[in-house]
Amino acid sequence: MQVSKLTPNIGAEVTGIDLSRPIDDSTRRQLNAAVVENVALVIRDQALTPQQYLEAIANFGEVMPQHFTQYALPDCPLVHEVSNRHQDKAGKQIKHGEGWHTDHTNHVRPPKYTCLYAVALPSQGGGTAIVNMRAGYQALPDDLRQKIDGLKTVNVFMGSAVARHSSPSAEAQAERKPEPVLQPLVRTNPDNGSKALYFHPLKTENIVGMSPQDSQALLDELLTHAVRDEFTYRHQWRKGDVLLWDNRAALHRALFDYDPSEYRLLYRVLVRGELPH
Ligand code: SIN
């Protein structure tokens, strides 16, 4: 197995491994360390059934259920489809993951890794972008870092900011759940002690002690400082790629820069994380 860095600040590529077969402890440790160190990892040239994909991802931890159970594969429900053919009740394409986000911050124990596997791809474009929020945190001006250390975000299924960024479908609005979950705005990764900015712009209702409007203004300011080209990896998919990233230190988004008449299908699996602190 070879692991090579893709950019100086984020991303590494793994070749020479077949995830359809069991792997030994030392390889498993190397892969897990590579995700934590590089934030995003692409494992090339895999040929996996959904069940083999699940078993491969179990090398990274416990696979967990996902929101939106309508996208689960019927025979393998921990694997979800991310497809550009999903539509809302009005027949409009649902653009999954269009803006910067991290997954399931409204869960008490959100996923530490999100994993995607390429099944069908457009002929051009349709990549996934991931930004290193550890680097983003380090790049903040000192006074801003001091201002946010120790702050907590209040996370809901769908924050009121959604209405300012898009027109959520009636189904999505009906699914708004009231139970708020507190998360640290600066998250420490227990695997290496590093700190990273940690928030979902659309699931954060507010920062504790601040109004939703002031909270969004602060989150926008943080995004402006942290989301930089040099901290971002834009993955151009190849058939057979497995891409995973460390949600404790990353935001991600789908790039809708391709011909929408071409089919794009990825399989998504989430790996359970620890309680954020
Ligand atoms: C996601 O946000 O999980 C999907 C990313 C993608 O479709 O590239």
Side-chain angles (χ1 to χ4, degrees):
M1 179 176 85
Q2 294 79 45
V3 182
S4 333
K5 279 196 180 291
L6 289 164
T7 79
N9 289 312
I10 177 167
E13 176 187 66
V14 180
T15 53
I17 184 169
D18 177 359
L19 291 178
S20 70
R21 294 161 178 261
I23 59 174
D24 60 35
D25 286 349
S26 145
T27 307
R28 186 176 308 113
R29 274 197 298 276
Q30 259 184 283
L31 285 171
N32 278 274
V35 192
V36 174
E37 181 188 336
N38 297 291
V39 181
L41 199 65
V42 51
I43 307 170
R44 300 283 190 194
D45 305 320
Q46 302 304 305
L48 303 169
T49 63
Q51 186 57 38
Q52 286 172 327
Y53 176 39
L54 264 190
E55 284 161 19
I57 296 306
N59 286 300
F60 294 92
E62 181 199 347
V63 172
M64 66 180 270
Q66 309 186 38
H67 293 155
F68 301 119
T69 50
Q70 67 271 34
Y71 304 131
L73 299 189
D75 297 334
C76 207
L78 289 173
V79 178
H80 278 210
E81 284 192 342
V82 176
S83 161
N84 63 346
R85 296 208 173 146
H86 292 148
Q87 295 182 335
D88 64 18
K89 286 201 176 127
K92 197 169 139 214
Q93 184 197 10
I94 297 174
K95 290 191 165 177
H96 298 288
E98 194 179 11
W100 288 112
H101 66 286
T102 180
D103 290 327
H104 293 32
T105 52
N106 59 319
H107 280 218
V108 174
R109 282 180 65 191
K112 68 173 174 176
Y113 302 146
T114 295
C115 317
L116 296 174
Y117 175 52
V119 180
L121 296 171
S123 50
Q124 281 193 321
T128 302
I130 304 158
V131 60
N132 181 342
M133 296 301 271
R134 198 156 73 205
Y137 173 74
Q138 289 303 332
L140 294 178
D142 286 347
D143 56 341
L144 191 50
R145 251 201 333 261
Q146 279 156 18
K147 176 174 167 183
I148 62 168
D149 268 335
L151 292 183
K152 299 238 181 269
T153 56
V154 178
N155 294 265
V156 293
F157 180 74
M158 192 188 293
S160 48
V162 171
R164 290 200 289 280
H165 290 263
S166 64
S167 313
S169 64
E171 301 96 288
Q173 295 208 50
E175 288 209 51
R176 279 187 72 157
K177 299 251 176 25
E179 312 84 28
V181 170
L182 293 187
Q183 301 290 6
L185 181 54
V186 178
R187 182 169 181 182
T188 304
N189 188 324
D191 294 329
N192 61 7
S194 64
K195 288 181 170 185
L197 285 172
Y198 182 67
F199 61 94
H200 185 313
L202 302 183
K203 289 195 191 302
T204 301
E205 184 58 14
N206 64 290
I207 294 169
V208 172
M210 292 173 70
S211 69
Q213 290 72 18
D214 290 350
S215 305
Q216 282 300 321
L218 176 55
L219 298 185
D220 286 348
E221 187 183 357
L222 294 175
L223 282 179
T224 304
H225 278 287
V227 177
R228 302 181 184 197
D229 279 352
E230 65 266 33
F231 301 155
T232 304
Y233 170 57
R234 284 179 188 76
H235 183 63
Q236 287 303 326
W237 286 97
R238 292 187 210 159
K239 195 86 181 292
D241 283 350
V242 171
L243 173 69
L244 64 154
W245 58 85
D246 189 340
N247 282 312
R248 301 167 298 183
L251 292 178
H252 64 276
R253 65 186 297 193
L255 301 173
F256 285 87
D257 58 351
Y258 59 98
D259 175 354
S261 70
E262 293 192 274
Y263 190 29
R264 180 180 188 268
L265 175 66
L266 307 172
Y267 283 165
R268 187 166 85 144
V269 165
L270 300 180
V271 175
R272 195 182 295 285
E274 61 287 328
L275 283 176
H277 71 280

